Amino acid sequence: MYLKPDKGYVAKVRSAGFFTKGLVYVLIGTLTFLAAFNQGGDISSTDGAVKYLLTLPLGKFLGAVVALGLVAYSLWRFYQALFLPGTYIDDKSMKSGFKRFRFFYSGVFYGFIAYSFLKPLLRSFSNTTKGNSGENLEQKAALWELLSTDWGKLVIWIVAAVVAGQALWQFKIARDGKFMKKMDKYPDLKHEYTFIRRSGKFGYIARGVVFGIISFFLVKVILQHNASIYKGTEGALQYLLSFSYGSLLLGATALGLIGYGIFHIMVARHANLTTLQ
């Protein structure tokens, strides 16, 4: 028996989640692309996107709307973890167990990102002033704590390996292109199909680059016993500038992130064209 959550409220939650996730990536990619060629903007992660929204009229409200959309995406991921839509409900194989873990992890991850967009509005009610710098110091303190013990270093090695595996997985998805269904099933949507496919491939490559650099940072943290080396997504993008033609590399990666965002926006509209999970 298959479970197909393609109707009703579940489909609406899924579409809202994918659309919002796409908007966030388009915003991050656009700000980074402008910064790459000194045209304004800023090399950005989700924190940079939040800061940009706060410069706009009703910025806190917009951030809350984005947070709501990302909560929808998290709920969709938790739904997948529980019910594995598109597979046999009684499937208890190791592969299905891995899928459940991946969906659950993704739900938690985007839940935290949703909270980062909601925090400015919450702070306006609580009158707190703690900013991202304080949070960065806490992250560095946690890494320093892990570096102080052998088991902590092992944890960092494991995280670095997982992130590296995620990078390789992104490249594999881009190479295989199996995130799209066969075109012969949708002959009337050829142009949109091709656009979605190319945006997705370019986007997955860009994500693979970012994940790969983050993994490299984590390895350097261990080898040099220096938590300050870890810079996160923004640091990974800034690292591209250290190479020859760094602006072009950064610009291309930023365009890839924009493509990844457009891909998710199109998936929200044409869920039937993809196998994206």
Side-chain angles (χ1 to χ4, degrees):
M1 178 180 178
Y2 284 99
L3 181 65
K4 296 183 178 181
D6 297 325
K7 298 179 180 179
Y9 292 110
V10 174
K12 292 179 180 179
V13 169
R14 180 187 188 275
S15 294
F18 273 93
F19 184 83
T20 307
K21 180 183 177 183
L23 285 180
V24 171
Y25 269 94
V26 168
L27 179 57
I28 291 172
T30 301
L31 293 173
T32 301
F33 181 80
L34 292 173
F37 300 102
N38 298 316
Q39 298 298 315
D42 189 18
I43 297 176
S44 296
S45 62
T46 52
D47 287 339
V50 172
K51 291 177 183 177
Y52 175 76
L53 286 180
L54 291 178
T55 66
L56 301 177
L58 300 176
K60 293 179 181 179
F61 172 76
L62 292 175
V65 172
V66 172
L68 185 62
L70 291 175
V71 167
Y73 185 79
S74 292
L75 291 175
W76 163 247
R77 286 309 212 183
F78 290 139
Y79 183 93
Q80 288 180 296
L82 286 173
F83 300 111
L84 290 180
T87 61
Y88 284 106
I89 297 177
D90 58 351
D91 187 356
K92 298 181 180 179
S93 66
M94 182 178 295
K95 184 177 180 180
S96 67
F98 174 74
K99 283 184 177 181
R100 290 182 190 275
F101 173 78
R102 181 163 61 90
F103 294 147
F104 179 79
Y105 169 81
S106 179
V108 172
F109 178 77
Y110 280 96
F112 278 112
I113 293 180
Y115 176 65
S116 70
F117 278 91
L118 188 60
K119 277 188 294 185
L121 183 61
L122 296 178
R123 286 175 184 155
S124 67
F125 291 116
S126 62
N127 294 320
T128 57
T129 58
K130 181 180 176 182
N132 291 325
S133 59
E135 294 170 3
N136 290 334
L137 290 175
E138 291 177 0
Q139 293 173 1
K140 297 292 174 58
L143 280 175
W144 278 118
E145 185 68 24
L146 289 173
L147 285 172
S148 66
T149 62
D150 291 337
W151 69 265
K153 293 177 183 177
L154 178 60
V155 169
I156 300 176
W157 274 117
I158 292 173
V159 173
V162 170
V163 176
Q166 181 74 345
L168 293 175
W169 182 250
Q170 302 299 306
F171 290 133
K172 183 179 185 302
I173 293 174
R175 184 196 67 184
D176 296 343
K178 293 182 178 180
F179 53 88
M180 299 294 291
K181 295 180 180 179
K182 296 295 184 181
M183 182 62 236
D184 54 14
K185 296 181 180 180
Y186 306 97
D188 297 332
L189 298 173
K190 181 178 180 180
H191 297 297
E192 287 184 276
Y193 177 96
T194 301
F195 178 71
I196 296 172
R197 182 182 178 88
R198 289 176 178 174
S199 296
K201 288 177 74 72
F202 197 18
Y204 279 115
I205 291 172
R207 274 170 51 95
V209 170
V210 173
F211 280 125
I213 296 174
I214 290 175
S215 178
F216 171 68
F217 284 163
L218 288 170
V219 171
K220 288 186 68 176
V221 165
I222 302 171
L223 297 180
Q224 298 186 19
H225 200 83
N226 184 359
S228 298
I229 293 174
Y230 181 73
K231 303 294 184 182
T233 302
E234 290 184 18
L237 293 170
Q238 290 172 345
Y239 180 73
L240 293 172
L241 293 175
S242 66
F243 294 93
S244 299
Y245 305 103
S247 293
L248 293 178
L249 290 174
L250 180 59
T253 303
L255 285 176
L257 295 177
I258 294 173
Y260 188 74
I262 292 173
F263 169 65
H264 277 73
I265 292 173
M266 296 300 289
V267 166
R269 180 183 177 188
H270 296 296
N272 60 318
L273 293 182
T274 76
T275 60
L276 185 65
Q277 293 183 320

